[in-house]
Amino acid sequence: MAEKATFASLEEFVSSIELKENARRGVRGMAESVLQLASRLIGARDDWQDTILSLVKEEILPPPLIGELMDVMRISVDPWRIDDIIFYSMLVRTMETLEQVYLLLTGKSEGQPTSIKSFNK
């Protein structure tokens, strides 16, 4: 749902209620999937920030990815509060970061480490 918006121009995105809504729902769904997967790995946490920090503490995610993920999650957990133009400009970065984290958490990322231990090798 979110990827379709990446093929639209900024003008198309801003003028299409359906495109904006689908992109926001798609990004929110991606973020929820990442958080659900993380919760299965480390147990439920109070909030998304605690979940992300726990992934670092448990050496599941590499520290260099944390800043990027924190930025993206600020947009992803409630994408409706983000201005259309800012959301559009962050869309590709947001999707790529969420995908990278999801793949790291599932251990299915080709050529990517599945934990900080293999990341540092």
Side-chain angles (χ1 to χ4, degrees):
M1 290 186 338
E3 189 172 8
K4 185 176 180 182
T6 65
F7 296 107
S9 69
L10 176 60
E11 293 78 23
E12 290 171 319
F13 180 80
V14 171
S15 65
S16 174
I17 294 170
E18 181 182 355
L19 194 58
K20 291 187 292 190
E21 184 64 22
N22 286 341
R24 285 181 164 91
R25 280 198 324 256
V27 164
R28 173 67 189 246
M30 291 173 72
E32 287 174 352
S33 293
V34 166
L35 292 174
Q36 287 172 359
L37 181 56
S39 291
R40 284 197 300 263
L41 291 172
I42 60 171
R45 298 294 193 259
D46 291 334
D47 61 26
W48 64 267
Q49 293 167 327
D50 189 33
T51 300
I52 292 170
L53 293 176
S54 295
L55 290 171
V56 175
K57 289 177 189 173
E58 297 289 327
E59 298 186 338
I60 295 171
L61 287 182
L65 189 55
I66 297 309
E68 185 76 15
L69 184 56
M70 289 290 224
D71 287 345
V72 162
M73 290 302 288
R74 284 183 184 93
I75 292 168
S76 303
V77 294
D78 187 8
W80 290 272
R81 69 176 177 79
I82 306 299
D83 175 77
D84 290 346
I85 295 171
I86 293 171
F87 182 82
Y88 178 83
S89 68
M90 296 285 297
L91 187 55
V92 171
R93 174 183 173 216
T94 299
M95 291 170 45
E96 287 175 347
T97 300
L98 291 171
E99 180 182 26
Q100 180 183 12
V101 171
Y102 185 85
L103 292 173
L104 282 170
L105 294 178
T106 60
K108 294 180 181 175
S109 178
E110 188 174 317
Q112 293 289 327
T114 56
S115 73
I116 189 172
K117 292 171 186 152
S118 58
F119 184 83
N120 289 328
K121 288 184 180 178

